[in-house]
Amino acid sequence: MALKDYLAMKFNIVLHVFSALLIALLLPGCNTEAKQESDHLSIVQSFAYEDLSSYQRGLLDGFIDSMFPREVSLDQVMGDEVSIRSITRLAMALLFRNENSDRENAIKILWWVLQQQHQNENEKIYGAWKTSVVNDKLDHNWREFVGCDLIIIYRNYKEVLPAELLAKIKDGLVHAAMGAMKRDVTPQYTNISVMSAFLMNYVGSAFDIQELSEAGIQKAHDIHALFHRYNTFSEFNSPTYDGVSMVGFALWRELSQGEMKSMGIKLEQSLWKEIAAHYNPTLKNFSGPYFRAYGMDINKYVSITGLWIAIAMNDETLAPLPKDGGAKYFEVSNIAPIYHLGLSISEPTWQALKSPVKPRFLDQRIPNNIFAGDSVKHATIQMNQNWMMGGLEGNRRPWNQIYTGTIHWMGNESETEWLLVPGDGNTNVSVSDTSMRIFTVESDPGLSGERELKLYIYSSEASEEHFSGDIWRLGNMQFNIHTDLSYNYAEIINPSPKNTQSSISEYYSRVAEISFKIPENWEADNPLIEIFPRYVPTQNPE
């Protein structure tokens, strides 16, 4: 981080503490909350384009250039297949930058976006925007994604947008909020419920629609109560969707009033703290298990939580983002709402995101009825400086976004390597500080015959011959294997989602698929396999 950026951040800390203390002195009823904020020494940073560091500005300009290259006309950008969410954020980013014809182009985009909403009240999709003009996926979440982005634009650029456009935005927001109220998404769908609560409450409060404002604040209370029942969120440890929830809570913090604002401030800090607990700055990755993920290495694909961390660190060497764009680059579009909402993170959490991990064991119960299986799932995680692992018990939903067991370690080439137990709904995984144990779930009565356990490993040194014995040596990591299962095969594969049962979006040249046979009538409380990891750097083999 450049010295001027570091000093600016420290100035923001002092300014925030002074402001909190001043509020405590001047406003009745604010003493407790102001004292809590000053005790936590929050880093609060707002952003303006001209004040961005070169790294922060590069993230925004890179997104704009990817959406709107200089050699392409705006009409070409507003094409039939462009993401309506991404192009809305392009308009927001252009308004934020405000150079040359940026504002005029943003206005044209917004007029076009507002034509792409489903406004038939009799349709289930009512109030959502199309995902794109053609091949519309009819995604209900586009109410919240596009609607919340339009609220940011409406609030920040009222003075410079035409009155007719503002009226059209208002009309679109009312449709979106009414559709969200009709849908009534569960608080366990964390990222969407957080944004839905804000969308309804903001629209109801701003445009005097009482049923909407009441529905929004009620959902906010439900989210708040669910968190405090288990001290976690139902979309547990999701590298992409934790970042969306963070945007949602930042909306509560910045654009809500009263108790919703207060709840948002506290829940945002709680989410930051949980993110830091699962994050390893040495590996620049999160430990599993993942309730929803799109890969095993966020240095190779863009995760929205990684984008938040990159902005907070303001240092490319500390940023958990791909250096060359990487897979799922479109998620960088979230830079636009993040810069408008600003950063709020406690000093201890900020330090934890950049400091080497001290060994720790985490044990968490997670309320989740959305995924089949136990209504309260169970995650165990072991964090170490150069390796980490995690496991999930209680899930029966087969879904490629669920990663039931993971081990990550630092490879020989300073690249993160990993082992994956996919989320096929057929395994429970638990870890201790020294081992990972994989169990089968209770068999369905209708199933019979042999089954198969598949593990996936990425290592630059993996070959098919590594896995037939009871010691697997992969660069800096050694796995001691205890199992009564029969070894079936190991094969080097192309790690596509189809091949790995997991939504791996990043590219790997070689991944090993290791298969074991599970005999009929295997007892669910008898481990299929026990894995004992040992991090042994190759320069000091044992």
Side-chain angles (χ1 to χ4, degrees), residues 335-351:
I335 201 81
I338 291 172
Y339 280 165
H340 282 83
L341 296 169
L343 180 71
S344 178
I345 181 173
S346 75
E347 172 82 9
T349 300
W350 185 74
Q351 290 291 348

Side-chain angles (χ1 to χ4, degrees), residues 217-234:
I217 195 65
Q218 181 58 56
K219 191 165 297 294
H221 279 296
D222 292 344
I223 294 164
H224 186 262
L226 181 62
F227 171 80
H228 283 287
R229 204 171 304 143
Y230 292 93
N231 201 36
T232 193
F233 300 95
S234 296

